[in-house]
mmCIF file of all heavy atoms in Angstrom:
data_model
loop_
_atom_site.group_PDB
_atom_site.id
_atom_site.type_symbol
_atom_site.label_atom_id
_atom_site.label_comp_id
_atom_site.label_asym_id
_atom_site.label_seq_id
_atom_site.Cartn_x
_atom_site.Cartn_y
_atom_site.Cartn_z
ATOM 1 N N SER A 557 15.701 -23.732 3.561
ATOM 2 C CA SER A 557 14.307 -23.945 3.136
ATOM 3 C C SER A 557 13.346 -24.282 4.271
ATOM 4 O O SER A 557 12.420 -25.084 4.105
ATOM 5 C CB SER A 557 14.237 -25.031 2.051
ATOM 6 O OG SER A 557 14.932 -24.635 0.906
ATOM 7 N N PHE A 558 13.550 -23.666 5.438
ATOM 8 C CA PHE A 558 12.570 -23.741 6.511
ATOM 9 C C PHE A 558 11.849 -22.396 6.587
ATOM 10 O O PHE A 558 12.479 -21.341 6.492
ATOM 11 C CB PHE A 558 13.234 -24.042 7.855
ATOM 12 C CG PHE A 558 13.610 -25.479 8.048
ATOM 13 C CD1 PHE A 558 14.810 -25.969 7.541
ATOM 14 C CD2 PHE A 558 12.759 -26.347 8.716
ATOM 15 C CE1 PHE A 558 15.169 -27.300 7.707
ATOM 16 C CE2 PHE A 558 13.114 -27.680 8.893
ATOM 17 C CZ PHE A 558 14.310 -28.162 8.389
ATOM 18 N N LEU A 559 10.520 -22.426 6.748
ATOM 19 C CA LEU A 559 9.761 -21.190 6.936
ATOM 20 C C LEU A 559 9.719 -20.879 8.422
ATOM 21 O O LEU A 559 9.268 -21.710 9.226
ATOM 22 C CB LEU A 559 8.344 -21.328 6.384
ATOM 23 C CG LEU A 559 7.520 -20.038 6.369
ATOM 24 C CD1 LEU A 559 8.105 -19.054 5.362
ATOM 25 C CD2 LEU A 559 6.057 -20.317 6.055
ATOM 26 N N VAL A 560 10.185 -19.677 8.792
ATOM 27 C CA VAL A 560 10.299 -19.325 10.201
ATOM 28 C C VAL A 560 9.686 -17.954 10.457
ATOM 29 O O VAL A 560 9.535 -17.130 9.554
ATOM 30 C CB VAL A 560 11.774 -19.313 10.655
ATOM 31 C CG1 VAL A 560 12.402 -20.683 10.494
ATOM 32 C CG2 VAL A 560 12.572 -18.254 9.877
ATOM 33 N N GLN A 561 9.313 -17.733 11.723
ATOM 34 C CA GLN A 561 8.945 -16.410 12.201
ATOM 35 C C GLN A 561 10.112 -15.868 12.993
ATOM 36 O O GLN A 561 10.595 -16.520 13.915
ATOM 37 C CB GLN A 561 7.711 -16.487 13.103
ATOM 38 C CG GLN A 561 6.401 -16.662 12.369
ATOM 39 C CD GLN A 561 5.215 -16.744 13.318
ATOM 40 O OE1 GLN A 561 5.387 -17.005 14.499
ATOM 41 N NE2 GLN A 561 4.025 -16.537 12.797
ATOM 42 N N ASP A 562 10.559 -14.674 12.625
ATOM 43 C CA ASP A 562 11.722 -14.118 13.311
ATOM 44 C C ASP A 562 11.707 -12.610 13.142
ATOM 45 O O ASP A 562 11.730 -12.098 12.025
ATOM 46 C CB ASP A 562 13.011 -14.710 12.726
ATOM 47 C CG ASP A 562 14.247 -14.052 13.318
ATOM 48 O OD1 ASP A 562 14.241 -13.760 14.525
ATOM 49 O OD2 ASP A 562 15.206 -13.822 12.560
ATOM 50 N N GLY A 563 11.655 -11.884 14.243
ATOM 51 C CA GLY A 563 11.726 -10.437 14.168
ATOM 52 C C GLY A 563 10.413 -9.799 13.761
ATOM 53 O O GLY A 563 9.330 -10.327 13.994
ATOM 54 N N GLN A 564 10.521 -8.650 13.111
ATOM 55 C CA GLN A 564 9.353 -7.826 12.824
ATOM 56 C C GLN A 564 9.516 -7.146 11.467
ATOM 57 O O GLN A 564 10.629 -6.834 11.047
ATOM 58 C CB GLN A 564 9.197 -6.774 13.924
ATOM 59 C CG GLN A 564 8.011 -5.853 13.792
ATOM 60 C CD GLN A 564 8.077 -4.724 14.801
ATOM 61 O OE1 GLN A 564 8.800 -3.739 14.612
ATOM 62 N NE2 GLN A 564 7.339 -4.856 15.897
ATOM 63 N N THR A 565 8.405 -6.951 10.782
ATOM 64 C CA THR A 565 8.409 -6.127 9.574
ATOM 65 C C THR A 565 7.630 -4.842 9.863
ATOM 66 O O THR A 565 6.606 -4.872 10.562
ATOM 67 C CB THR A 565 7.765 -6.851 8.381
ATOM 68 O OG1 THR A 565 6.422 -7.225 8.714
ATOM 69 C CG2 THR A 565 8.563 -8.086 8.012
ATOM 70 N N ARG A 566 8.133 -3.738 9.346
ATOM 71 C CA ARG A 566 7.441 -2.454 9.488
ATOM 72 C C ARG A 566 7.040 -1.958 8.108
ATOM 73 O O ARG A 566 7.891 -1.750 7.236
ATOM 74 C CB ARG A 566 8.312 -1.434 10.196
ATOM 75 C CG ARG A 566 7.746 -0.009 10.180
ATOM 76 C CD ARG A 566 8.378 0.860 11.235
ATOM 77 N NE ARG A 566 7.960 0.451 12.580
ATOM 78 C CZ ARG A 566 8.400 1.034 13.694
ATOM 79 N NH1 ARG A 566 9.271 2.031 13.624
ATOM 80 N NH2 ARG A 566 7.966 0.619 14.873
ATOM 81 N N HIS A 567 5.747 -1.771 7.913
ATOM 82 C CA HIS A 567 5.199 -1.259 6.661
ATOM 83 C C HIS A 567 4.803 0.202 6.885
ATOM 84 O O HIS A 567 3.957 0.482 7.750
ATOM 85 C CB HIS A 567 3.958 -2.046 6.230
ATOM 86 C CG HIS A 567 4.142 -3.530 6.227
ATOM 87 N ND1 HIS A 567 4.220 -4.260 5.061
ATOM 88 C CD2 HIS A 567 4.262 -4.419 7.235
ATOM 89 C CE1 HIS A 567 4.370 -5.546 5.360
ATOM 90 N NE2 HIS A 567 4.400 -5.667 6.664
ATOM 91 N N THR A 568 5.370 1.112 6.135
ATOM 92 C CA THR A 568 4.984 2.515 6.201
ATOM 93 C C THR A 568 4.611 2.977 4.802
ATOM 94 O O THR A 568 5.242 2.562 3.815
ATOM 95 C CB THR A 568 6.122 3.395 6.748
ATOM 96 O OG1 THR A 568 7.297 3.204 5.945
ATOM 97 C CG2 THR A 568 6.441 3.034 8.189
ATOM 98 N N GLY A 569 3.588 3.812 4.706
ATOM 99 C CA GLY A 569 3.196 4.202 3.370
ATOM 100 C C GLY A 569 2.176 5.319 3.331
ATOM 101 O O GLY A 569 1.658 5.792 4.350
ATOM 102 N N LEU A 570 1.901 5.735 2.104
ATOM 103 C CA LEU A 570 0.914 6.758 1.795
ATOM 104 C C LEU A 570 0.004 6.216 0.708
ATOM 105 O O LEU A 570 0.485 5.742 -0.327
ATOM 106 C CB LEU A 570 1.601 8.043 1.326
ATOM 107 C CG LEU A 570 0.706 9.105 0.679
ATOM 108 C CD1 LEU A 570 -0.267 9.681 1.704
ATOM 109 C CD2 LEU A 570 1.545 10.219 0.047
ATOM 110 N N GLU A 571 -1.306 6.296 0.935
ATOM 111 C CA GLU A 571 -2.280 5.862 -0.057
ATOM 112 C C GLU A 571 -3.136 7.050 -0.472
ATOM 113 O O GLU A 571 -3.625 7.808 0.378
ATOM 114 C CB GLU A 571 -3.184 4.765 0.501
ATOM 115 C CG GLU A 571 -2.486 3.431 0.713
ATOM 116 C CD GLU A 571 -3.452 2.353 1.181
ATOM 117 O OE1 GLU A 571 -4.590 2.698 1.568
ATOM 118 O OE2 GLU A 571 -3.072 1.175 1.170
ATOM 119 N N LEU A 572 -3.340 7.195 -1.776
ATOM 120 C CA LEU A 572 -4.215 8.222 -2.335
ATOM 121 C C LEU A 572 -5.217 7.538 -3.253
ATOM 122 O O LEU A 572 -4.839 6.658 -4.042
ATOM 123 C CB LEU A 572 -3.413 9.260 -3.128
ATOM 124 C CG LEU A 572 -2.275 9.971 -2.389
ATOM 125 C CD1 LEU A 572 -1.448 10.800 -3.366
ATOM 126 C CD2 LEU A 572 -2.837 10.860 -1.283
ATOM 127 N N ALA A 573 -6.481 7.917 -3.176
ATOM 128 C CA ALA A 573 -7.500 7.275 -4.002
ATOM 129 C C ALA A 573 -8.569 8.290 -4.382
ATOM 130 O O ALA A 573 -8.835 9.251 -3.649
ATOM 131 C CB ALA A 573 -8.129 6.095 -3.279
ATOM 132 N N ALA A 574 -9.165 8.073 -5.547
ATOM 133 C CA ALA A 574 -10.248 8.929 -6.036
ATOM 134 C C ALA A 574 -11.225 8.066 -6.827
ATOM 135 O O ALA A 574 -10.811 7.188 -7.589
ATOM 136 C CB ALA A 574 -9.711 10.059 -6.912
ATOM 137 N N GLN A 575 -12.502 8.323 -6.643
ATOM 138 C CA GLN A 575 -13.498 7.616 -7.440
ATOM 139 C C GLN A 575 -14.731 8.477 -7.572
ATOM 140 O O GLN A 575 -15.036 9.291 -6.703
ATOM 141 C CB GLN A 575 -13.871 6.278 -6.801
ATOM 142 C CG GLN A 575 -14.580 6.375 -5.468
ATOM 143 C CD GLN A 575 -14.939 5.016 -4.915
ATOM 144 O OE1 GLN A 575 -14.096 4.136 -4.778
ATOM 145 N NE2 GLN A 575 -16.201 4.839 -4.575
ATOM 146 N N GLY A 576 -15.427 8.310 -8.694
ATOM 147 C CA GLY A 576 -16.652 9.068 -8.910
ATOM 148 C C GLY A 576 -16.743 9.599 -10.326
ATOM 149 O O GLY A 576 -15.963 9.243 -11.215
ATOM 150 N N ARG A 577 -17.690 10.488 -10.526
ATOM 151 C CA ARG A 577 -17.984 11.046 -11.845
ATOM 152 C C ARG A 577 -17.283 12.387 -12.011
ATOM 153 O O ARG A 577 -17.542 13.325 -11.245
ATOM 154 C CB ARG A 577 -19.493 11.195 -12.014
ATOM 155 C CG ARG A 577 -19.940 11.571 -13.419
ATOM 156 C CD ARG A 577 -21.459 11.582 -13.502
ATOM 157 N NE ARG A 577 -22.001 10.248 -13.319
ATOM 158 C CZ ARG A 577 -22.150 9.361 -14.297
ATOM 159 N NH1 ARG A 577 -21.784 9.689 -15.540
ATOM 160 N NH2 ARG A 577 -22.651 8.180 -14.054
ATOM 161 N N VAL A 578 -16.403 12.450 -13.013
ATOM 162 C CA VAL A 578 -15.695 13.699 -13.302
ATOM 163 C C VAL A 578 -16.646 14.674 -13.989
ATOM 164 O O VAL A 578 -16.749 15.840 -13.634
ATOM 165 C CB VAL A 578 -14.459 13.433 -14.172
ATOM 166 C CG1 VAL A 578 -13.728 14.745 -14.473
ATOM 167 C CG2 VAL A 578 -13.520 12.454 -13.487
ATOM 168 N N PHE A 579 -17.333 14.212 -15.041
ATOM 169 C CA PHE A 579 -18.429 14.945 -15.656
ATOM 170 C C PHE A 579 -19.457 13.922 -16.121
ATOM 171 O O PHE A 579 -19.315 12.729 -15.837
ATOM 172 C CB PHE A 579 -17.950 15.873 -16.783
ATOM 173 C CG PHE A 579 -17.081 15.209 -17.805
ATOM 174 C CD1 PHE A 579 -17.614 14.518 -18.881
ATOM 175 C CD2 PHE A 579 -15.691 15.294 -17.700
ATOM 176 C CE1 PHE A 579 -16.799 13.920 -19.821
ATOM 177 C CE2 PHE A 579 -14.870 14.696 -18.640
ATOM 178 C CZ PHE A 579 -15.427 14.010 -19.701
ATOM 179 N N ASP A 580 -20.493 14.351 -16.798
ATOM 180 C CA ASP A 580 -21.648 13.491 -17.056
ATOM 181 C C ASP A 580 -21.279 12.147 -17.667
ATOM 182 O O ASP A 580 -21.880 11.124 -17.343
ATOM 183 C CB ASP A 580 -22.643 14.213 -17.975
ATOM 184 C CG ASP A 580 -23.378 15.324 -17.243
ATOM 185 O OD1 ASP A 580 -23.329 15.327 -16.002
ATOM 186 O OD2 ASP A 580 -23.987 16.181 -17.911
ATOM 187 N N ALA A 581 -20.291 12.108 -18.555
ATOM 188 C CA ALA A 581 -20.023 10.877 -19.294
ATOM 189 C C ALA A 581 -18.825 10.086 -18.780
ATOM 190 O O ALA A 581 -18.592 8.972 -19.233
ATOM 191 C CB ALA A 581 -19.804 11.205 -20.776
ATOM 192 N N LEU A 582 -18.048 10.646 -17.851
ATOM 193 C CA LEU A 582 -16.792 10.017 -17.454
ATOM 194 C C LEU A 582 -16.768 9.678 -15.967
ATOM 195 O O LEU A 582 -16.958 10.551 -15.118
ATOM 196 C CB LEU A 582 -15.610 10.928 -17.790
ATOM 197 C CG LEU A 582 -14.217 10.395 -17.432
ATOM 198 C CD1 LEU A 582 -13.895 9.142 -18.230
ATOM 199 C CD2 LEU A 582 -13.146 11.453 -17.663
ATOM 200 N N ASN A 583 -16.508 8.401 -15.662
ATOM 201 C CA ASN A 583 -16.289 7.938 -14.299
ATOM 202 C C ASN A 583 -14.848 7.445 -14.167
ATOM 203 O O ASN A 583 -14.320 6.808 -15.101
ATOM 204 C CB ASN A 583 -17.228 6.785 -13.952
ATOM 205 C CG ASN A 583 -18.652 7.252 -13.737
ATOM 206 O OD1 ASN A 583 -18.928 8.020 -12.827
ATOM 207 N ND2 ASN A 583 -19.564 6.792 -14.591
ATOM 208 N N ILE A 584 -14.245 7.710 -13.019
ATOM 209 C CA ILE A 584 -12.887 7.220 -12.779
ATOM 210 C C ILE A 584 -12.822 6.523 -11.428
ATOM 211 O O ILE A 584 -13.568 6.846 -10.499
ATOM 212 C CB ILE A 584 -11.824 8.344 -12.836
ATOM 213 C CG1 ILE A 584 -11.949 9.283 -11.619
ATOM 214 C CG2 ILE A 584 -11.902 9.118 -14.126
ATOM 215 C CD1 ILE A 584 -10.762 10.208 -11.457
ATOM 216 N N TYR A 585 -11.936 5.532 -11.360
ATOM 217 C CA TYR A 585 -11.637 4.825 -10.113
ATOM 218 C C TYR A 585 -10.127 4.622 -10.118
ATOM 219 O O TYR A 585 -9.604 3.934 -10.996
ATOM 220 C CB TYR A 585 -12.354 3.477 -10.052
ATOM 221 C CG TYR A 585 -13.831 3.552 -10.339
ATOM 222 C CD1 TYR A 585 -14.302 3.516 -11.654
ATOM 223 C CD2 TYR A 585 -14.756 3.662 -9.304
ATOM 224 C CE1 TYR A 585 -15.660 3.585 -11.924
ATOM 225 C CE2 TYR A 585 -16.113 3.731 -9.562
ATOM 226 C CZ TYR A 585 -16.559 3.693 -10.882
ATOM 227 O OH TYR A 585 -17.904 3.770 -11.142
ATOM 228 N N GLY A 586 -9.446 5.234 -9.180
ATOM 229 C CA GLY A 586 -7.990 5.139 -9.234
ATOM 230 C C GLY A 586 -7.348 5.374 -7.892
ATOM 231 O O GLY A 586 -7.963 5.860 -6.939
ATOM 232 N N GLY A 587 -6.072 5.015 -7.833
ATOM 233 C CA GLY A 587 -5.321 5.236 -6.621
ATOM 234 C C GLY A 587 -3.866 4.901 -6.804
ATOM 235 O O GLY A 587 -3.470 4.279 -7.801
ATOM 236 N N MET A 588 -3.066 5.322 -5.853
ATOM 237 C CA MET A 588 -1.640 5.011 -5.863
ATOM 238 C C MET A 588 -1.165 4.820 -4.436
ATOM 239 O O MET A 588 -1.725 5.399 -3.502
ATOM 240 C CB MET A 588 -0.842 6.103 -6.575
ATOM 241 C CG MET A 588 -0.951 7.478 -5.971
ATOM 242 S SD MET A 588 -0.015 8.723 -6.927
ATOM 243 C CE MET A 588 -0.942 8.722 -8.458
ATOM 244 N N THR A 589 -0.143 3.996 -4.291
ATOM 245 C CA THR A 589 0.409 3.697 -2.979
ATOM 246 C C THR A 589 1.925 3.801 -3.024
ATOM 247 O O THR A 589 2.564 3.215 -3.904
ATOM 248 C CB THR A 589 0.015 2.278 -2.521
ATOM 249 O OG1 THR A 589 -1.407 2.174 -2.483
ATOM 250 C CG2 THR A 589 0.573 1.986 -1.133
ATOM 251 N N PHE A 590 2.479 4.561 -2.099
ATOM 252 C CA PHE A 590 3.916 4.628 -1.886
ATOM 253 C C PHE A 590 4.194 3.909 -0.565
ATOM 254 O O PHE A 590 3.613 4.267 0.463
ATOM 255 C CB PHE A 590 4.401 6.076 -1.794
ATOM 256 C CG PHE A 590 4.025 6.929 -2.972
ATOM 257 C CD1 PHE A 590 2.787 7.559 -3.024
ATOM 258 C CD2 PHE A 590 4.904 7.106 -4.029
ATOM 259 C CE1 PHE A 590 2.433 8.350 -4.106
ATOM 260 C CE2 PHE A 590 4.558 7.897 -5.116
ATOM 261 C CZ PHE A 590 3.326 8.518 -5.150
ATOM 262 N N SER A 591 5.060 2.916 -0.576
ATOM 263 C CA SER A 591 5.262 2.152 0.657
ATOM 264 C C SER A 591 6.711 1.706 0.797
ATOM 265 O O SER A 591 7.437 1.563 -0.187
ATOM 266 C CB SER A 591 4.343 0.928 0.683
ATOM 267 O OG SER A 591 4.674 0.024 -0.343
ATOM 268 N N ARG A 592 7.094 1.496 2.050
ATOM 269 C CA ARG A 592 8.396 0.919 2.394
ATOM 270 C C ARG A 592 8.141 -0.192 3.403
ATOM 271 O O ARG A 592 7.410 -0.005 4.371
ATOM 272 C CB ARG A 592 9.330 1.968 3.010
ATOM 273 C CG ARG A 592 9.746 3.071 2.065
ATOM 274 C CD ARG A 592 10.719 2.582 1.005
ATOM 275 N NE ARG A 592 11.950 2.084 1.567
ATOM 276 C CZ ARG A 592 13.006 2.864 1.851
ATOM 277 N NH1 ARG A 592 12.949 4.156 1.645
ATOM 278 N NH2 ARG A 592 14.100 2.332 2.345
ATOM 279 N N THR A 593 8.757 -1.331 3.181
ATOM 280 C CA THR A 593 8.602 -2.466 4.088
ATOM 281 C C THR A 593 9.975 -2.966 4.475
ATOM 282 O O THR A 593 10.734 -3.449 3.629
ATOM 283 C CB THR A 593 7.803 -3.599 3.420
ATOM 284 O OG1 THR A 593 6.544 -3.080 2.984
ATOM 285 C CG2 THR A 593 7.556 -4.724 4.398
ATOM 286 N N LYS A 594 10.312 -2.843 5.749
ATOM 287 C CA LYS A 594 11.638 -3.203 6.238
ATOM 288 C C LYS A 594 11.547 -4.313 7.274
ATOM 289 O O LYS A 594 10.614 -4.363 8.076
ATOM 290 C CB LYS A 594 12.329 -1.987 6.869
ATOM 291 C CG LYS A 594 12.620 -0.846 5.903
ATOM 292 C CD LYS A 594 13.715 -1.218 4.923
ATOM 293 C CE LYS A 594 14.124 -0.004 4.080
ATOM 294 N NZ LYS A 594 15.207 -0.342 3.142
ATOM 295 N N ILE A 595 12.551 -5.193 7.260
ATOM 296 C CA ILE A 595 12.673 -6.234 8.275
ATOM 297 C C ILE A 595 13.447 -5.656 9.466
ATOM 298 O O ILE A 595 14.517 -5.069 9.296
ATOM 299 C CB ILE A 595 13.376 -7.476 7.706
ATOM 300 C CG1 ILE A 595 12.553 -8.070 6.563
ATOM 301 C CG2 ILE A 595 13.615 -8.518 8.790
ATOM 302 C CD1 ILE A 595 13.209 -9.244 5.863
ATOM 303 N N ARG A 596 12.899 -5.813 10.673
ATOM 304 C CA ARG A 596 13.496 -5.254 11.882
ATOM 305 C C ARG A 596 13.605 -6.338 12.953
ATOM 306 O O ARG A 596 12.870 -7.317 12.945
ATOM 307 C CB ARG A 596 12.645 -4.094 12.434
ATOM 308 C CG ARG A 596 12.294 -3.040 11.425
ATOM 309 C CD ARG A 596 11.246 -2.067 11.945
ATOM 310 N NE ARG A 596 11.779 -1.224 13.015
ATOM 311 C CZ ARG A 596 11.311 -1.213 14.250
ATOM 312 N NH1 ARG A 596 10.311 -2.019 14.585
ATOM 313 N NH2 ARG A 596 11.836 -0.416 15.166
ATOM 314 N N LYS A 597 14.516 -6.132 13.872
ATOM 315 C CA LYS A 597 14.632 -6.967 15.073
ATOM 316 C C LYS A 597 14.718 -8.460 14.742
ATOM 317 O O LYS A 597 14.133 -9.299 15.435
ATOM 318 C CB LYS A 597 13.446 -6.714 16.005
ATOM 319 C CG LYS A 597 13.287 -5.266 16.442
ATOM 320 C CD LYS A 597 12.057 -5.094 17.312
ATOM 321 C CE LYS A 597 11.865 -3.650 17.713
ATOM 322 N NZ LYS A 597 10.644 -3.458 18.535
ATOM 323 N N ALA A 598 15.422 -8.795 13.699
ATOM 324 C CA ALA A 598 15.559 -10.197 13.299
ATOM 325 C C ALA A 598 17.022 -10.618 13.373
ATOM 326 O O ALA A 598 17.932 -9.793 13.472
ATOM 327 C CB ALA A 598 15.024 -10.393 11.878
#
C-alpha cells in the first residue's frame, strides 16, 4: 500500500469523432476510442 513511480506506461489508440447537423432537425455528437495501455520498463 505504498504509491510509487516506477517504469513507464505506453498509451496507444485511435480516436474517431463526429459532430454537427445530419439534416435540418437532427444534430449528433459522438465518438469512439480504441486504446491499449501497457506498463513498461518497471
